[in-house]
Amino acid sequence: MSVTELKERHIAATETVNNLRERLKQRRLSLLDTDISGYAKSQGRTPVTFGPTDILCCRTLQGHTGKVYSLDWTSEKNRIVSASQDGRLIVWNALTSQKTHAIKLPCAWVMTCAFSPTGQSVACGGLDSVCSIFNLNSPTDRDGNLNVSRMLSGHKGYVSSCQYVPGEDTHLITGSGDQTCVLWDITTGLRTSVFGGEFQSGHTADVLSISINGTNSKMFVSGSCDSTARLWDTRVASRAVRTFHGHEGDVNSVKFFPDGNRFGTGSDDGTCRLFDIRTGHQLQVYYQPRRDTEMAHVVTSIAFSISGRLLFAGYTNGDCYVWDTLLAKVVLNLGSLQNSHEGRISCLGLSADGSALCTGSWDTNLKIWAFGGIRKVI
């Protein structure tokens, strides 16, 4: 078969795939008679409203000298770990703004960090394709640095995300540029399960984000550069339970809804979306408010409030929208408030009790936003 014939067959096959994809999209839309906002409006629900002091920037955490890429809260709400391009992890006391640890990393190109459930350890990963574990109770060396207590090696691409399995300091899940996710046994340093890769139901491009179900830690979702999110069961590693379509760009962030039956996504296409893991259906799209001539800004990170009524989304232009998840309305933009960030919002996370939001930015700072009178809805 000649090269010309192969090209013609490839073009024909691509056209067939695109036609099938469009037919599937239309079929999904035909099965959905409404979305969450449409139903909420029909029930007379009113949007969340904010007073001038309901959300305030109460602290700015300064100490990094490079872009902040990732952050995580401890389960007891008063500590935050952040990872920066300056090659350091910093552990902060969120109540006092003081640094309790400044950890020099083996590889400066860090992309993700996470606290263990007990808060005794932190994990991080990046372009060295390794997930490094640090025990915060270990003694420092003569230069004051904390040594790596465990290195989890096995990925063939950068480590983009990591999260400890809830309630377990001994297991965590990583996502990688090698198109796979891995469940690790930290005690042995070995891979317990690999999700994707050579399996047909796995991602076909870099995995960018993961989120473990808080109500069923055997389930987790992953977002990828292949524009899909996938649901996995750690007891069945060979293939994804379900694949979620809808985005038209990289899925940069995924986060489970508080009830564990839904999850949210944030994408390069400028939208956030809400999916149901039981039906596989898209429940809502959160479009940025903008003029027709404006380009949509990339969504970098998302988080839900404790009740799920609010969705926080960070964007590359420094905006941080607070969405009413029921009515799909922006009720506040933290980027328009006093003391907001001066650069891209790269990461964000909610404290365990839901009383505060922390945002990290390319302006090298982290900011803690305290909730006032809106506690009843968050």
Side-chain angles (χ1 to χ4, degrees):
M1 187 177 295
S2 67
V3 173
T4 302
E5 289 175 321
L6 284 172
K7 287 183 178 179
E8 290 175 350
R9 290 183 64 179
H10 181 266
I11 292 171
T14 301
E15 186 176 349
T16 300
V17 168
N18 289 336
N19 288 336
L20 288 171
R21 184 179 288 119
E22 183 61 27
R23 286 171 60 187
L24 281 170
K25 180 180 178 181
Q26 296 304 320
R27 178 59 176 162
R28 289 192 189 97
L29 290 174
S30 69
L31 293 173
L32 297 174
D33 56 352
T34 187
D35 57 18
I36 288 178
S37 66
Y39 179 76
K41 289 171 185 174
S42 72
Q43 299 299 302
R45 300 299 293 264
T46 56
V48 176
T49 57
F50 293 95
T53 60
D54 281 339
I55 297 184
L56 296 172
C57 179
C58 62
R59 286 179 184 81
T60 297
L61 306 182
Q62 296 178 309
H64 283 299
T65 58
K67 299 171 182 176
V68 176
Y69 279 115
S70 180
L71 67 86
D72 191 29
W73 289 81
T74 52
S75 56
E76 76 270 15
K77 89 176 183 179
N78 64 341
R79 286 189 297 159
I80 297 168
V81 62
S82 58
S84 165
Q85 196 182 42
D86 61 16
R88 291 187 182 276
L89 292 183
I90 295 181
V91 179
W92 310 81
N93 183 318
L95 301 178
T96 65
S97 304
Q98 292 181 327
K99 308 174 190 69
T100 61
H101 295 81
I103 304 169
K104 186 177 181 180
L105 301 175
C107 172
W109 296 100
V110 62
M111 301 176 70
T112 181
C113 63
F115 258 117
S116 67
T118 63
Q120 302 301 307
S121 300
V122 291
C124 68
L127 295 188
D128 59 356
S129 305
V130 173
C131 184
S132 301
I133 310 295
F134 295 89
N135 186 335
L136 299 179
N137 296 322
S138 297
T140 58
D141 61 22
R142 69 179 77 181
D143 296 321
N145 295 320
L146 201 63
N147 292 319
V148 177
S149 60
R150 176 71 69 181
M151 297 184 72
L152 307 177
S153 303
H155 278 300
K156 297 177 182 177
Y158 60 87
V159 176
S160 59
S161 53
C162 64
Q163 184 183 349
Y164 280 85
V165 175
E168 299 183 34
D169 273 26
T170 56
H171 291 86
L172 62 74
I173 297 175
T174 54
S176 170
D178 64 12
Q179 306 179 12
T180 70
C181 303
V182 171
L183 172 64
W184 299 89
D185 184 328
I186 298 174
T187 305
T188 63
L190 300 177
R191 293 180 290 182
T192 300
S193 300
V194 179
F195 307 89
E198 70 273 19
F199 301 109
Q200 291 183 351
S201 66
H203 284 294
T204 58
D206 304 15
V207 176
L208 299 177
S209 179
I210 60 168
S211 177
I212 302 174
N213 194 330
T215 62
N216 178 6
S217 61
K218 301 298 183 184
M219 310 294 290
F220 74 95
V221 290
S222 57
S224 167
C225 289
D226 63 12
S227 303
T228 71
R230 299 184 193 235
L231 176 68
W232 304 89
D233 187 330
T234 58
R235 296 160 295 190
V236 187
S238 59
R239 57 181 64 245
V241 176
R242 197 182 290 276
T243 300
F244 300 84
H245 300 273
H247 280 295
E248 298 176 357
D250 299 356
V251 179
N252 298 315
S253 182
V254 292
K255 192 70 176 180
F256 261 105
F257 198 75
D259 68 1
N261 292 323
R262 286 160 280 269
F263 69 91
T265 55
S267 169
D268 270 8
D269 64 16
T271 68
C272 299
R273 296 171 191 250
L274 187 66
F275 294 93
D276 192 302
I277 67 171
R278 298 162 298 182
T279 64
H281 286 160
Q282 177 179 287
L283 302 177
Q284 187 62 59
V285 184
Y286 302 91
Y287 295 101
Q288 293 174 46
R290 67 182 194 279
R291 301 183 185 90
D292 292 339
T293 56
E294 288 181 326
M295 293 288 291
H297 295 288
V298 170
V299 183
T300 60
S301 186
I302 64 169
F304 288 103
S305 64
I306 293 296
S307 70
R309 182 65 192 269
L310 301 178
L311 168 65
F312 304 93
Y315 297 82
T316 50
N317 66 336
D319 285 338
C320 184
Y321 289 149
V322 184
W323 292 89
D324 183 323
T325 55
L326 276 184
L327 297 171
K329 298 287 187 183
V330 175
V331 292
L332 187 66
N333 177 12
L334 300 186
S336 67
L337 301 183
Q338 196 172 22
N339 297 323
S340 59
H341 286 290
E342 298 177 357
R344 169 198 291 245
I345 304 294
S346 51
C347 52
L348 54 80
L350 203 70
S351 63
D353 67 347
S355 64
L357 177 79
C358 183
T359 54
S361 169
W362 280 16
D363 66 9
T364 75
N365 297 325
L366 296 99
K367 292 182 182 290
I368 299 176
W369 305 83
F371 303 138
I374 63 167
R375 289 297 303 280
K376 59 183 180 295
V377 300
I378 66 170

